[in-house]
């Protein structure tokens, strides 16, 4: 049914924004960081008078990194909690079903992290994407780096193992499509199931083929798992690219060992040094609240 319309002058009631985030489960680390980011944003907005003169209130639930739970959570936020607006969850895997709930209910859904191509081919009118790059464009900066190298310093061979994930796989596919025309020969290209935990056989094949570059579509545990398996075989490529895994910062370096982080590349959609509006204020507020190195 239609939601009751409220004038922007109704300043007594807070503007309630609902979101479900993976605070537990596979995406707990980035999900918890997203919660902190949302809360800092709320504080910054409220300090300047809120939105449309109304103070912002967040209602955050835990979807446990589960597709069924995220659907139930957003359904409840809309139908029972009657929130005014929705913020998305983390990952294409979870945002894909969550955004469908929002679209059915004609609710604006702003997603911060979910750039898989299948997010955008459904003709949705209420879905807004706040990440700077979709998955097929995510690897472009790394490809540009490879292009910038003198020809004799570029990798000659590459291997492309990737998790069967709606975000990770398109990143790796687009990288391969861009590197092969540069003369970088593909010596391995395989997709493994999302629940893969043992990377010994993949690592052993890679060690046999000795690619200069390994580009892995890694979410998190699989990124750590492959590095560990390669280290056991004492094989280290000249360059290692992983989609999301290294962005889990200390959790990643603890997992692979700090000494093994050299020569690892990844592309992220946000940087604390970015000159975008309010970014410096956001970083300062985050450090005040949670600490963190410069």
């Amino acid at each position: 049914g239609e939601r009751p319309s409220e004038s922007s002058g109704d300043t007594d009631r807070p503007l309630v924004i609902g979101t479900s985030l993976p605070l537990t489960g596979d995406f707990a680390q980035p999900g918890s960081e997203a919660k902190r980011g949302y809360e800092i944003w709320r504080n910054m907005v409220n300090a300047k008078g809120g939105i449309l003169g109304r103070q912002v209130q967040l209602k955050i639930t835990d979807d446990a990194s589960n597709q069924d739970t995220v659907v139930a959570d957003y359904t409840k936020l809309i139908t029972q909690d009657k929130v005014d607006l929705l913020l998305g969850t983390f990952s294409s895997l979870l945002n894909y079903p969550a955004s469908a709930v929002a679209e059915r209910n004609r609710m604006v859904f702003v997603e911060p992290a979910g750039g898989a191509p299948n997010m955008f081919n459904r003709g949705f009118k209420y879905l807004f994407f706040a990440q700077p790059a979709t998955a097929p464009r995510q690897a472009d900066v790394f490809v540009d780096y490879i292009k910038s190298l003198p020809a004799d310093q570029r990798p000659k061979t590459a291997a492309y193992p990737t998790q069967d994930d709606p975000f990770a796989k398109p990143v790796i596919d687009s990288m391969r499509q861009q590197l092969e025309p540069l003369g970088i020969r593909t010596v391995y290209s395989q997709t493994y199931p999302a629940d893969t935990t043992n990377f010994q056989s993949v690592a052993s094949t890679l060690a046999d083929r000795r690619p200069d570059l390994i580009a892995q579509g890694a979410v998190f545990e699989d990124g750590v798992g492959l590095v560990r398996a390669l280290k056991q075989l004492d094989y280290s490529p000249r360059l290692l690219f992983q989609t999301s895994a290294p962005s889990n910062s200390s959790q990643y370096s603890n997992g692979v060992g700090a000494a093994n982080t050299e020569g690892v590349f990844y592309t992220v959609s946000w940087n604390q040094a970015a000159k975008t509006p309010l970014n410096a204020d956001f970083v300062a507020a985050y450090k005040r609240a949670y600490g963190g190195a410069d």
Side-chain angles (χ1 to χ4, degrees):
E2 289 294 322
R3 302 172 59 74
S5 62
E6 292 149 6
S7 77
S8 59
D10 182 10
T11 54
D12 294 339
R13 289 190 340 103
L15 189 79
V16 184
I17 301 181
T19 181
S20 178
L21 287 167
L23 304 176
T24 54
D26 289 348
F27 298 123
Q29 197 274 344
S32 301
E33 291 295 336
K35 177 176 183 283
R36 287 176 163 192
Y38 280 165
E39 288 171 344
I40 295 291
W41 169 79
R42 172 202 62 202
N43 297 345
M44 287 173 67
V45 166
N46 285 342
K48 292 187 175 178
I51 294 176
L52 301 175
R54 294 165 65 181
Q55 289 289 289
V56 170
Q57 186 179 315
L58 289 178
K59 184 163 186 61
I60 301 174
T61 59
D62 176 18
D63 58 46
S65 306
N66 181 285
Q67 286 183 305
D68 295 328
T69 309
V70 84
V71 165
D73 280 0
Y74 278 100
T75 302
K76 181 177 184 296
L77 286 167
I78 295 166
T79 59
Q80 291 180 36
D81 301 320
K82 296 195 165 29
V83 300
D84 298 300
L85 180 69
L86 298 171
L87 289 175
T89 184
F90 177 82
S91 82
S92 299
L93 190 75
L94 298 173
N95 272 313
Y96 187 80
S99 56
V101 175
E103 191 73 15
R104 266 200 311 279
N105 288 277
R106 299 200 290 279
M107 288 286 289
V108 169
F109 185 92
V110 185
E111 57 135 350
N118 67 1
M119 290 294 301
F120 309 110
N121 58 16
R122 296 172 292 176
F124 281 9
K125 303 285 192 291
Y126 293 84
L127 173 67
F128 291 83
F129 180 60
Q131 219 177 332
T134 55
R137 299 266 69 90
Q138 193 82 8
D140 290 4
V141 288
F142 181 74
V143 171
D144 288 344
Y145 164 70
I146 297 294
K147 285 178 178 173
S148 77
L149 297 172
D152 61 343
Q153 288 178 33
R154 289 179 188 169
K156 292 181 174 51
T157 54
Y160 303 97
T162 179
Q163 184 178 136
D164 188 9
D165 175 82
F167 178 79
K169 191 172 183 308
V171 176
I172 298 303
D173 289 347
S174 81
M175 186 188 293
R176 179 183 173 182
Q177 286 157 14
Q178 293 180 78
L179 291 184
E180 283 181 342
L182 298 179
I184 299 170
R185 191 164 53 84
T186 300
V187 294
Y188 178 94
S189 180
Q190 294 290 332
T191 304
Y192 53 85
D195 58 0
T196 303
T197 53
N198 187 331
F199 287 90
Q200 285 173 324
S201 65
V202 175
S204 144
T205 305
L206 294 177
D208 284 347
R209 298 185 188 177
R210 307 190 73 74
D212 295 331
L213 163 68
I214 295 176
Q216 183 190 12
V219 176
F220 176 60
E221 279 94 345
D222 53 334
V224 173
L226 182 62
V227 171
R228 285 178 170 171
L230 288 168
K231 288 303 289 183
Q232 282 176 348
L233 296 168
D234 205 27
Y235 181 65
S236 181
R238 269 180 51 207
L239 300 165
L240 173 66
F241 175 95
Q242 294 177 317
T243 46
S244 305
S247 64
N248 290 13
S249 59
S250 59
Q251 201 182 9
Y252 177 82
S253 55
N254 292 341
V256 301
N260 299 325
T261 57
E262 294 299 317
V264 177
F265 293 77
Y266 68 106
T267 53
V268 288
S269 297
W270 171 82
N271 189 291
Q272 66 183 37
K275 299 288 187 267
T276 46
L278 297 178
N279 192 44
D281 296 354
F282 176 84
V283 171
Y286 191 96
K287 283 181 182 170
R288 279 197 300 276
Y290 301 112
D294 287 328

